[in-house]
Amino acid sequence: MIKSFASDNWAGACPEVMQALIDANSGHAPAYGADPYTKKAESDFKNLFGDQAEVFFVYNGTAANIITLASTTRSFNSIICSSHAHINVDECGAGEKFAGTKLLDLPNTDGKLTPEMILPHVAAERFPHQSVPGIISITQATELGTLYSVEEIKAIADLAHQYNLLLHVDGARIANAVVALNSSMKEMITDTGVDILSFGGTKNGLMFGEAVVFLKPELSSLFELFRKQGMQLASKMRFISAQFSALLANNVWEKNARHSNQMALYLGQKLAAIPEIQISQKIETNGIWAIIPEALAVKMQDAQFFYPWEEARNEYRIMTAFDTSEEEIDRFIEKITR
Amino acid sequence: MIKSFASDNWAGACPEVMQALIDANSGHAPAYGADPYTKKAESDFKNLFGDQAEVFFVYNGTAANIITLASTTRSFNSIICSSHAHINVDECGAGEKFAGTKLLDLPNTDGKLTPEMILPHVAAERFPHQSVPGIISITQATELGTLYSVEEIKAIADLAHQYNLLLHVDGARIANAVVALNSSMKEMITDTGVDILSFGGTKNGLMFGEAVVFLKPELSSLFELFRKQGMQLASKMRFISAQFSALLANNVWEKNARHSNQMALYLGQKLAAIPEIQISQKIETNGIWAIIPEALAVKMQDAQFFYPWEEARNEYRIMTAFDTSEEEIDRFIEKITR
Amino acid sequence: MIKSFASDNWAGACPEVMQALIDANSGHAPAYGADPYTKKAESDFKNLFGDQAEVFFVYNGTAANIITLASTTRSFNSIICSSHAHINVDECGAGEKFAGTKLLDLPNTDGKLTPEMILPHVAAERFPHQSVPGIISITQATELGTLYSVEEIKAIADLAHQYNLLLHVDGARIANAVVALNSSMKEMITDTGVDILSFGGTKNGLMFGEAVVFLKPELSSLFELFRKQGMQLASKMRFISAQFSALLANNVWEKNARHSNQMALYLGQKLAAIPEIQISQKIETNGIWAIIPEALAVKMQDAQFFYPWEEARNEYRIMTAFDTSEEEIDRFIEKITR
Amino acid sequence: MIKSFASDNWAGACPEVMQALIDANSGHAPAYGADPYTKKAESDFKNLFGDQAEVFFVYNGTAANIITLASTTRSFNSIICSSHAHINVDECGAGEKFAGTKLLDLPNTDGKLTPEMILPHVAAERFPHQSVPGIISITQATELGTLYSVEEIKAIADLAHQYNLLLHVDGARIANAVVALNSSMKEMITDTGVDILSFGGTKNGLMFGEAVVFLKPELSSLFELFRKQGMQLASKMRFISAQFSALLANNVWEKNARHSNQMALYLGQKLAAIPEIQISQKIETNGIWAIIPEALAVKMQDAQFFYPWEEARNEYRIMTAFDTSEEEIDRFIEKITR
């Protein structure tokens, strides 16, 4: 059984999710989401985010982000995001293609936007030569493992609404963020005024599947049509819904996220103790960014694989998952320090 | 355990596929298709279609069709298809949106194109006021349950190539077609000159996942980029690949398709014996089209649900799946004839 | 000085329009439409269509149609049109590309839609697998030279509004239609309930330029942004506006259209008198459709060029323009009957 | 007769161009570019750029840029450009919409790219998660009035070709650049290895119309289809072509550009002599960027209008055109210094 520190999407499905898939595989169920599993999952999401929340399921995170953005903007809009945003650098231009919009990516060093960065772009006079800002998209936890505080999210939401924009949160690792900040989905997302959340499943123990949660249900009216036109309507949707119900039941989502966060902290402390290694971002969730001399890095990758991040400065990203164990980390540290 | 005659996508995953998912859920595996399960599945497809075949996996059938068409045409092209084609009537304009192309849909009554229908459109003089025919897309088995013979496919392929067009086959139910015609994938697809096949998995017992098979590997060079930009690159791809390997091993695909075809024939014969019911299309695969007086239809749908097809003439579609049983059919007939 | 019967867009600019261009070429004027010529032309259009009319200028007819359709639909919509519609067959898929929509083209023999043809498509139950009808687009005069009566337009407008759809009129030759039916722009367009009109200029004596007239101003709010994103915002817009003011002043538009219609009738009568020639469509505007034996057709084209229409049945289209003269027609007839 | 320093597109058509329009307005001519005026203009462009040059005409500059980029890239590509590029900030996302590509805009302070800025983006390893660099687009003269030397263009062209990319030049003001550097179109564009040039007409004295010049004719094969699908095929194309022939005859393009450059220099020197005014960019072509105290700026704008550029630092842009006169400038200076 291979293990790695490459990414939380190298892991498989967690046991609760796998069991849910087995259980859901019984007889026939209406296709395209008209099944009882999907009804149940919709209700589970309302329990987590509040009664007004509307949830839709898609296959993967790129789709969760892009179909959301396309269904809540027009092509003449721009999408304000961090220069490090997954939608900006890791989706091969899916946003430009499917939404037809400009991505207005703002430079930063920690993956986070601030109201000060955003303000000049949304407060400018508008005329038809330029794309019109339509939505702000932030990532929580960010692509650099950092976190927005609840207050920081609220400040951006307030700014967005002041200028009639929407706030979208790419929550591919939202569970890790909520756990790390000792917050709740409701407090961090619903109560701060976030309009739409891409709720990550795959990186927190699902086999496949992501959820789009509309906190303002009136924004969701076109999602179904864009989901179909966006090639993301699952025929046997029960197999996404059932996974999500399993993830949300008994706080499995919290357990998985907390564990992977703890493993990152545990591993990070051990790595920090190695003199040649320099931790380069605060370890807040389940990723460790570190600057490592090349020879040592190669030895470490041999022991258990992980990816380079910014090669020019020997920076690497080391990730834990719901199934990373202390023993595995101990073995890894032992190997590389031998 | 609910059963239905609504559609083969109301069924779940067949036992072999479910077991493969359980087995593949072990430890970590490289993401995005760089895993041994995907390598294995690629090799399995080469065994079925010939060594030159290149296969790519996506989540669903709409994506298999549309990303294929987008990656092998330009937006000024037209896609020649049947007016009944799934890409024309059941994908909410995904082709127009993602490929930017015109769908040139040719009217017909049995879901099938002929060289005679196609010829005037491809032989016309070309000038920049009109979309340029780029690819022909046929469906096997068709959306009306009918079949192209191997010779008919070859004739269309020959016409396509004579005019420098490609031939794509939407094979959402290709297994049912191959079995029904007592043919083989190689004979029906590779040897007839088909350029690209959307190989259906979901309707033949997969939990999710479709395959795109390029019979001319040089056509596949852009697929990966369009798949990513098309929001269809699965991170935990092993869970699609492993399902396909299970479907292809021990001819499970044939077994599933043969069974559902036989159940349609069995059910069709019983229905044909009911005087008020008139079978309206030849039963060639796993669907039955029948004209049924409304009162009887309602009673039948109560017993086991199926969909209306052309309501204006009281036509209904009744489908079987890999898990339809003779007992279930007998019970259904008993109920409705009581 | 070459003359032809090829198309009304082989003609140049009529004298009043040319003079207006010379006059407008004086000093500087604000770019992008913030100039007095554009204000004047906007007012001229209000005089013609009523005070609520909002007009926007673009370069050509394809843009007038497609940007209108894109700005009043979403990509999941379909555009209902005639199979002969210019947007369907003569714009190289511009609608599919720019609007991302499906063109639902309804077959017919005279270029005209009827409520009966449209009804089944708009009355159908809606679900996300199919494109949602968003707008009906008819052409007046049609691409086959035929005409909708004022009542027929009203009937389609009523149907459209009953089903919450819009009605767009492609009026590349609207002037010829209004004159032929002895109607007025207000009666034919505003009062029938048409929502948006592409008002043709180029085919009625402009050098370049088309107008989009919104009869319901609330529909026009996004046009400016789509016009810019659609690459159709003219920087020196006064040179389009001034042409339109010249066309609308002193009813030049009517004079031009009436003359070309009369010339078609005059020529048509002479052609009808030639035994080998069979007029194949009623001559209602400035085009003549006729079936002509090939040898004679070649001789005629040598005398003054025109295009084949449906080659399979030796049908040709012969068009007059604002500058076609009786003498020219007499000379042509003399040459071909010699 | 109003004059302004707002933009070179506030001017009208220069006398030679106006005369050419009058002359071309004689009788009928084949539509869509099959006319003798267009043949003549094509030949004129070959004289300027070399025999291999292929030229196509469109209505405006946005279209010249975007249709070029769309016809030479695929949607998964990125377009590398300056953050100040017109395609990035002044075309309302037309590139993202029509080409579906990402604009990879590189920050800079003078409107210019360098090989050093570009290199990291084109030399990176490629995988399907990121857009693939497809073309580099630079603007000459830049949006900030600055210039690339001939050598600098060659260096970027060499880099582009080394990495199998194309080099496009947005030459909305290419005439001003060639004149300012005392170069020639052939030396600056053809001989440096530029692949495609958007050749500006409107800002140098045309009424409307821009040319796209392919220096590598094999790249032009799809332009016609994208031009039609891009809503930019002019039916009465002779009226664009004839203007260009007039601009190219007797070096009118040089005369116009030289004059506007000289007027900028003349005005710039007078402004520089006013103590409160600080020239903020080197005056290289026909634009002056200057920091002006607000009260003075208002007074100046009252005398003859011009636009603010970067309001936060009281920077303004003052532009001359082919028809700016010394007398006008003297009058302006007199007014504002009184």
Side-chain angles (χ1 to χ4, degrees):
Chain A
M1 199 174 79
I2 302 167
K3 302 287 271 183
S4 86
F5 297 131
S7 178
D8 33 15
N9 63 26
W10 282 43
C14 72
E16 297 87 347
V17 161
M18 193 70 232
Q19 189 58 48
L21 285 169
I22 295 168
D23 294 345
N25 191 31
S26 164
H28 282 209
Y32 303 117
D35 62 272
Y37 301 90
T38 302
K39 294 286 158 291
K40 171 72 166 61
E42 287 167 358
S43 162
D44 294 338
F45 271 93
K46 284 178 186 291
N47 288 342
L48 200 58
F49 287 96
D51 262 5
Q52 82 289 9
E54 298 283 347
V55 70
F56 298 89
F57 302 113
V58 295
Y59 289 111
N60 66 3
T62 296
N65 289 335
I66 300 306
I67 296 179
T68 294
L69 296 169
S71 73
T72 54
T73 60
R74 299 301 297 259
S75 63
F76 56 73
N77 284 133
S78 61
I79 296 164
I80 296 177
C81 62
S82 153
S83 56
H84 301 281
H86 198 268
I87 56 170
N88 189 46
V89 295
D90 270 317
E91 299 182 354
C92 198
E96 287 88 347
K97 171 96 176 170
F98 188 72
T101 52
K102 173 172 284 300
L103 293 191
L104 192 60
D105 57 314
L106 308 184
N108 62 79
T109 57
D110 61 354
K112 291 170 62 179
L113 296 183
T114 65
E116 292 66 37
M117 289 178 199
I118 298 168
L119 188 62
H121 298 281
V122 300
E125 206 184 337
R126 293 173 186 188
F127 48 167
H129 298 261
Q130 273 111 45
S131 298
V132 179
I135 193 165
I136 300 167
S137 180
I138 62 173
T139 309
Q140 173 81 325
T142 74
E143 292 80 3
L144 299 176
T146 54
L147 289 171
Y148 290 90
S149 71
V150 167
E151 293 70 29
E152 287 171 334
I153 293 177
K154 186 170 184 331
I156 295 177
D158 288 348
L159 179 73
H161 298 149
Q162 185 184 344
Y163 288 96
N164 285 314
L165 304 182
L166 301 175
L167 177 59
H168 165 252
V169 172
D170 176 352
R173 294 187 183 95
I174 189 65
N176 300 82
V178 165
V179 163
L181 290 175
N182 207 15
S183 179
S184 73
M185 290 289 173
K186 198 156 176 314
E187 183 196 40
M188 182 178 282
I189 301 299
T190 313
D191 297 349
T192 53
V194 167
D195 295 291
I196 318 159
L197 169 71
S198 296
F199 183 103
T202 313
K203 290 186 163 80
N204 198 24
L206 256 54
M207 180 181 284
F208 67 103
E210 306 279 306
V212 174
V213 185
F214 285 85
L215 288 318
K216 316 280 170 68
E218 67 275 17
L219 298 173
S220 73
S221 60
L222 304 180
F223 191 87
E224 282 195 308
L225 286 156
F226 278 102
R227 178 174 61 179
K228 178 64 195 180
Q229 199 180 25
M231 311 181 280
Q232 286 280 333
L233 179 57
S235 58
K236 300 183 177 178
M237 198 183 286
R238 59 170 144 162
F239 292 111
I240 302 183
S241 318
Q243 290 183 76
F244 269 112
S245 284
L247 193 71
L248 265 48
N250 305 313
N251 299 326
V252 171
W253 67 272
E254 281 192 336
K255 186 186 69 171
N256 284 353
R258 179 164 291 120
H259 180 76
S260 60
N261 284 3
Q262 286 173 339
M263 289 301 100
L265 212 60
Y266 183 75
L267 173 54
Q269 286 164 344
K270 306 234 172 214
L271 293 177
I274 299 176
E276 298 96 319
I277 295 178
Q278 176 197 337
I279 304 298
S280 54
Q281 293 274 359
K282 196 175 163 203
I283 302 172
E284 299 199 86
T285 51
N286 68 322
I288 300 159
W289 276 254
I291 294 170
I292 311 175
E294 197 179 340
L296 175 57
V298 168
K299 187 180 172 186
M300 290 167 67
Q301 288 172 315
D302 270 0
Q304 196 153 315
F305 184 71
F306 53 87
Y307 281 109
W309 186 257
E310 220 182 300
E311 298 195 68
R313 56 180 203 133
N314 283 329
E315 191 180 36
Y316 294 82
R317 187 189 70 170
I318 300 166
M319 296 208 81
T320 55
F322 73 86
D323 62 349
T324 304
S325 66
E326 285 199 14
E327 296 69 36
E328 174 193 351
I329 291 173
D330 293 340
R331 249 191 337 267
F332 172 73
I333 294 294
E334 196 196 315
K335 267 193 203 165
I336 67 172
T337 52
R338 227 175 0 218
Chain B
M1 201 174 78
I2 302 167
K3 303 287 271 183
S4 86
F5 296 130
S7 177
D8 33 15
N9 63 26
W10 283 42
C14 71
E16 297 87 346
V17 160
M18 193 71 233
Q19 189 57 50
L21 285 169
I22 295 168
D23 295 345
N25 191 31
S26 163
H28 283 209
Y32 303 116
D35 64 89
Y37 301 90
T38 302
K39 294 286 156 292
K40 170 69 166 62
E42 287 168 358
S43 162
D44 294 339
F45 272 92
K46 285 179 185 289
N47 287 342
L48 200 58
F49 287 96
D51 263 4
Q52 83 288 8
E54 298 283 349
V55 71
F56 298 89
F57 302 113
V58 295
Y59 289 112
N60 66 1
T62 296
N65 289 336
I66 300 305
I67 295 179
T68 294
L69 296 169
S71 73
T72 54
T73 60
R74 298 303 297 259
S75 61
F76 56 73
N77 284 133
S78 61
I79 297 165
I80 296 177
C81 63
S82 154
S83 56
H84 300 281
H86 199 268
I87 56 169
N88 190 46
V89 295
D90 271 316
E91 299 182 354
C92 198
E96 286 89 347
K97 172 95 176 168
F98 189 72
T101 51
K102 175 172 281 302
L103 293 191
L104 191 60
D105 57 314
L106 308 184
N108 62 79
T109 56
D110 61 354
K112 291 170 63 179
L113 297 183
T114 65
E116 290 67 36
M117 290 179 199
I118 299 169
L119 189 61
H121 298 280
V122 300
E125 207 184 337
R126 293 173 186 188
F127 48 165
H129 298 262
Q130 274 112 44
S131 299
V132 179
I135 194 165
I136 301 166
S137 179
I138 62 174
T139 309
Q140 173 82 326
T142 75
E143 291 81 4
L144 299 176
T146 54
L147 290 171
Y148 290 91
S149 72
V150 168
E151 292 71 29
E152 287 171 334
I153 293 177
K154 186 170 184 328
I156 295 178
D158 288 348
L159 179 73
H161 299 148
Q162 184 184 344
Y163 286 96
N164 285 314
L165 304 181
L166 301 176
L167 176 59
H168 165 253
V169 172
D170 176 352
R173 295 189 183 94
I174 188 65
N176 301 81
V178 165
V179 162
L181 290 176
N182 208 15
S183 179
S184 72
M185 290 289 172
K186 197 155 177 313
E187 182 195 40
M188 182 179 284
I189 300 298
T190 314
D191 296 350
T192 54
V194 168
D195 294 291
I196 317 160
L197 169 71
S198 295
F199 183 103
T202 314
K203 291 186 163 79
N204 197 26
L206 256 54
M207 180 182 284
F208 67 103
E210 305 279 307
V212 174
V213 185
F214 285 85
L215 288 318
K216 317 279 170 67
E218 66 276 15
L219 298 173
S220 72
S221 60
L222 304 180
F223 191 87
E224 281 194 308
L225 286 156
F226 278 102
R227 178 174 62 179
K228 177 66 195 177
Q229 198 178 27
M231 312 182 279
Q232 287 281 333
L233 179 58
S235 57
K236 300 183 177 177
M237 198 183 286
R238 59 170 144 163
F239 292 111
I240 302 183
S241 318
Q243 290 183 75
F244 269 113
S245 283
L247 193 72
L248 266 47
N250 305 313
N251 299 325
V252 171
W253 66 271
E254 281 193 338
K255 186 186 71 173
N256 284 353
R258 179 165 290 119
H259 180 77
S260 60
N261 284 2
Q262 284 172 341
M263 289 302 99
L265 212 60
Y266 182 76
L267 173 54
Q269 285 164 345
K270 305 236 172 213
L271 293 177
I274 298 175
E276 298 96 320
I277 294 178
Q278 175 198 338
I279 304 299
S280 55
Q281 293 274 359
K282 197 177 163 200
I283 302 172
E284 299 198 86
T285 51
N286 67 322
I288 300 159
W289 276 253
I291 293 170
I292 311 176
E294 197 179 341
L296 175 56
V298 168
K299 186 180 173 186
M300 290 167 69
Q301 287 172 314
D302 270 358
Q304 196 152 315
F305 183 70
F306 53 88
Y307 282 109
W309 186 257
E310 220 182 301
E311 298 195 69
R313 56 180 202 135
N314 283 330
E315 191 180 36
Y316 294 82
R317 186 189 71 169
I318 299 163
M319 297 209 80
T320 55
F322 74 85
D323 62 350
T324 304
S325 68
E326 284 200 14
E327 295 70 33
E328 174 192 352
I329 290 172
D330 293 342
R331 251 191 334 266
F332 172 73
I333 293 294
E334 197 196 313
K335 267 194 205 168
I336 68 171
T337 52
R338 225 172 5 213
Chain C
M1 200 174 78
I2 304 165
K3 302 287 271 183
S4 86
F5 296 131
S7 178
D8 32 15
N9 64 24
W10 282 44
C14 72
E16 296 88 346
V17 160
M18 192 71 230
Q19 189 57 50
L21 285 169
I22 294 168
D23 295 346
N25 191 31
S26 163
H28 283 208
Y32 303 116
D35 63 89
Y37 301 91
T38 301
K39 293 286 158 290
K40 171 71 166 63
E42 288 167 357
S43 161
D44 294 339
F45 271 92
K46 283 179 185 291
N47 287 342
L48 200 58
F49 287 96
D51 262 6
Q52 82 290 10
E54 298 283 348
V55 69
F56 298 88
F57 301 114
V58 295
Y59 289 112
N60 65 2
T62 297
N65 290 336
I66 299 306
I67 295 179
T68 295
L69 296 169
S71 72
T72 54
T73 60
R74 300 300 300 258
S75 62
F76 56 73
N77 284 133
S78 61
I79 296 165
I80 296 177
C81 63
S82 152
S83 57
H84 300 281
H86 198 268
I87 55 170
N88 190 45
V89 295
D90 270 316
E91 299 182 354
C92 198
E96 286 88 347
K97 171 96 175 168
F98 189 70
T101 52
K102 173 171 285 299
L103 293 190
L104 191 60
D105 58 313
L106 308 184
N108 61 79
T109 57
D110 61 355
K112 292 170 61 179
L113 296 184
T114 64
E116 291 67 35
M117 288 178 200
I118 298 168
L119 189 60
H121 298 281
V122 301
E125 205 184 338
R126 293 174 186 187
F127 49 165
H129 297 262
Q130 273 113 45
S131 298
V132 179
I135 194 165
I136 300 167
S137 180
I138 62 173
T139 309
Q140 172 82 324
T142 74
E143 292 80 3
L144 299 176
T146 54
L147 290 170
Y148 290 91
S149 72
V150 168
E151 292 71 29
E152 287 171 334
I153 293 177
K154 185 167 185 332
I156 295 177
D158 288 348
L159 179 72
H161 299 148
Q162 185 183 344
Y163 287 96
N164 286 314
L165 304 182
L166 301 175
L167 177 59
H168 165 254
V169 172
D170 176 352
R173 294 188 182 96
I174 188 66
N176 301 83
V178 166
V179 162
L181 291 176
N182 208 16
S183 180
S184 73
M185 289 290 173
K186 197 155 177 315
E187 183 195 40
M188 182 178 284
I189 300 298
T190 314
D191 297 349
T192 53
V194 168
D195 295 290
I196 317 160
L197 169 71
S198 296
F199 183 102
T202 313
K203 291 188 162 80
N204 197 26
L206 255 54
M207 181 181 281
F208 67 104
E210 305 280 306
V212 174
V213 185
F214 284 86
L215 288 318
K216 316 279 170 68
E218 67 275 16
L219 298 173
S220 72
S221 61
L222 303 180
F223 191 86
E224 282 196 306
L225 286 156
F226 278 103
R227 178 174 62 178
K228 177 66 194 178
Q229 199 178 26
M231 311 183 280
Q232 286 281 332
L233 179 58
S235 58
K236 300 183 177 179
M237 199 184 285
R238 59 170 144 163
F239 293 112
I240 302 183
S241 318
Q243 290 185 75
F244 268 113
S245 283
L247 193 73
L248 265 48
N250 306 313
N251 299 327
V252 171
W253 67 273
E254 281 192 338
K255 187 185 70 171
N256 284 354
R258 179 165 290 117
H259 179 78
S260 61
N261 285 1
Q262 285 173 340
M263 290 301 99
L265 213 59
Y266 183 76
L267 173 53
Q269 286 163 345
K270 305 237 172 210
L271 292 177
I274 299 175
E276 298 96 320
I277 294 177
Q278 176 199 337
I279 305 298
S280 54
Q281 294 274 0
K282 197 177 163 200
I283 302 173
E284 299 199 84
T285 52
N286 68 323
I288 300 158
W289 276 253
I291 292 169
I292 311 175
E294 196 179 340
L296 175 56
V298 168
K299 189 182 172 184
M300 290 168 67
Q301 288 172 314
D302 270 358
Q304 197 152 316
F305 183 71
F306 53 87
Y307 282 109
W309 187 256
E310 218 182 301
E311 299 196 68
R313 56 181 203 135
N314 283 329
E315 191 180 34
Y316 294 82
R317 186 190 71 169
I318 299 165
M319 296 209 80
T320 56
F322 73 87
D323 63 349
T324 305
S325 67
E326 284 200 13
E327 297 70 33
E328 175 192 351
I329 290 173
D330 292 342
R331 252 193 333 268
F332 172 72
I333 294 294
E334 198 197 313
K335 266 194 203 166
I336 67 170
T337 53
R338 224 171 8 214
Chain D
M1 199 173 79
I2 303 166
K3 303 286 272 184
S4 86
F5 297 132
S7 178
D8 33 14
N9 63 26
W10 282 44
C14 72
E16 297 88 344
V17 160
M18 192 71 231
Q19 189 57 48
L21 284 169
I22 294 168
D23 295 345
N25 191 30
S26 163
H28 283 209
Y32 302 115
D35 63 89
Y37 301 90
T38 302
K39 293 286 157 294
K40 170 70 166 61
E42 287 167 358
S43 162
D44 294 339
F45 271 92
K46 285 179 184 291
N47 287 342
L48 200 59
F49 287 96
D51 263 5
Q52 82 289 8
E54 298 283 348
V55 70
F56 298 88
F57 301 114
V58 295
Y59 289 112
N60 66 2
T62 296
N65 289 336
I66 300 306
I67 296 179
T68 294
L69 295 170
S71 73
T72 55
T73 59
R74 300 300 298 259
S75 62
F76 56 73
N77 283 133
S78 61
I79 296 166
I80 297 177
C81 62
S82 153
S83 56
H84 301 281
H86 198 269
I87 56 169
N88 190 45
V89 294
D90 271 316
E91 299 183 352
C92 198
E96 285 88 347
K97 172 95 174 168
F98 189 71
T101 51
K102 173 172 283 300
L103 293 191
L104 191 60
D105 58 314
L106 307 184
N108 61 80
T109 57
D110 62 355
K112 292 169 62 178
L113 296 184
T114 64
E116 290 67 35
M117 289 178 200
I118 299 168
L119 188 62
H121 298 281
V122 301
E125 207 184 336
R126 294 173 187 187
F127 49 165
H129 298 261
Q130 274 112 45
S131 298
V132 179
I135 193 165
I136 301 167
S137 180
I138 62 173
T139 310
Q140 172 82 323
T142 74
E143 293 80 4
L144 298 176
T146 53
L147 289 171
Y148 290 90
S149 71
V150 168
E151 292 70 30
E152 287 171 335
I153 293 178
K154 186 170 185 327
I156 295 177
D158 288 349
L159 179 73
H161 299 148
Q162 184 183 344
Y163 287 96
N164 285 314
L165 304 181
L166 301 176
L167 177 60
H168 165 253
V169 172
D170 176 353
R173 295 187 182 95
I174 188 66
N176 301 81
V178 165
V179 163
L181 291 176
N182 208 16
S183 179
S184 71
M185 290 290 173
K186 198 159 176 312
E187 183 195 40
M188 182 178 283
I189 301 299
T190 315
D191 296 351
T192 53
V194 168
D195 295 291
I196 317 160
L197 169 71
S198 296
F199 184 102
T202 313
K203 291 187 163 79
N204 197 25
L206 256 55
M207 179 181 284
F208 67 103
E210 305 279 307
V212 174
V213 185
F214 285 86
L215 288 317
K216 316 279 170 66
E218 67 277 15
L219 298 174
S220 73
S221 61
L222 303 180
F223 191 86
E224 282 195 307
L225 286 156
F226 278 102
R227 177 173 62 179
K228 177 66 194 178
Q229 199 179 25
M231 312 182 278
Q232 286 280 334
L233 179 58
S235 58
K236 300 183 176 177
M237 199 184 285
R238 57 170 146 162
F239 292 112
I240 302 183
S241 317
Q243 291 184 76
F244 269 113
S245 283
L247 194 73
L248 266 47
N250 304 314
N251 299 327
V252 170
W253 67 272
E254 281 193 336
K255 188 185 68 170
N256 284 353
R258 179 165 290 117
H259 179 76
S260 60
N261 284 2
Q262 285 172 341
M263 290 301 98
L265 213 60
Y266 183 75
L267 174 53
Q269 286 165 344
K270 305 235 172 215
L271 293 176
I274 299 175
E276 297 95 322
I277 294 177
Q278 176 197 337
I279 305 298
S280 55
Q281 292 274 0
K282 198 176 162 200
I283 303 173
E284 298 199 85
T285 53
N286 67 323
I288 300 159
W289 276 254
I291 292 170
I292 311 175
E294 196 179 340
L296 175 56
V298 168
K299 188 180 173 186
M300 290 168 67
Q301 288 172 316
D302 270 357
Q304 198 153 315
F305 183 72
F306 54 88
Y307 281 109
W309 187 256
E310 219 182 300
E311 299 195 66
R313 56 180 204 135
N314 283 329
E315 191 180 35
Y316 294 82
R317 186 190 71 169
I318 300 165
M319 297 210 79
T320 56
F322 73 87
D323 62 350
T324 304
S325 67
E326 284 198 13
E327 296 70 34
E328 174 192 353
I329 290 172
D330 293 342
R331 249 191 337 265
F332 172 73
I333 294 294
E334 198 197 312
K335 267 194 204 166
I336 67 169
T337 55
R338 226 174 1 218

